[in-house]
Amino acid sequence: PNPIKVGFPVSVSCVIRNAGSADVPAGMYTIGLLWDGKNVFYGPGTVSVPAGGEAVFAIEPDTWQLTINKAGSYEYILVIDPDGKVPESDEKNNVTRGTITVEEVGKESGQ
């Protein structure tokens, strides 16, 4: 949901880009998610990423869910291939981070 509300599951997805010359098969890499400094997800990459292309990865809700029980701002860090199993020319471009605001139910965004 956008914005994220207290007590509702958070959907997690990202676009994975492969600037290399070889395909990266599903299962060859892992994905890690830290939420507010805590490791909350670590699992296999379930999509293949073609050479020079991209793929959308989404954590399936029946596999894993994150529900936030307190309003506030939270930092997230999403890491693709945290174990370095995929040979790459640039290991430093596998991380994205940001801040997400979680609102109380009934509060409209921006109020």
Side-chain angles (χ1 to χ4, degrees):
N2 189 11
I4 296 171
K5 300 290 187 178
V6 169
F8 287 87
V10 178
S11 300
V12 177
S13 65
C14 65
V15 175
I16 302 171
R17 291 185 178 86
N18 178 359
S21 59
D23 293 346
V24 178
M28 183 177 181
Y29 61 97
T30 53
I31 295 180
L33 174 64
L34 284 86
W35 183 270
D36 205 31
K38 297 177 184 87
N39 187 1
V40 295
F41 178 82
Y42 180 86
T46 55
V47 295
S48 297
V49 189
E54 59 185 42
V56 175
F57 170 81
I59 301 173
E60 297 299 326
D62 59 338
T63 303
W64 175 88
Q65 287 187 353
L66 176 64
T67 302
I68 308 304
N69 296 315
K70 183 178 177 186
S73 293
Y74 296 88
E75 180 185 24
Y76 69 88
I77 302 172
L78 184 68
V79 184
I80 309 298
D81 191 34
D83 304 319
K85 291 185 178 180
V86 177
E88 300 180 71
S89 61
D90 184 0
E91 292 284 349
K92 297 177 183 169
N93 65 356
N94 295 344
V95 177
T96 188
R97 63 182 66 222
T99 302
I100 294 178
T101 300
V102 177
E103 298 177 346
E104 292 288 346
V105 176
K107 180 178 179 184
E108 295 299 319
S109 185
Q111 288 184 355

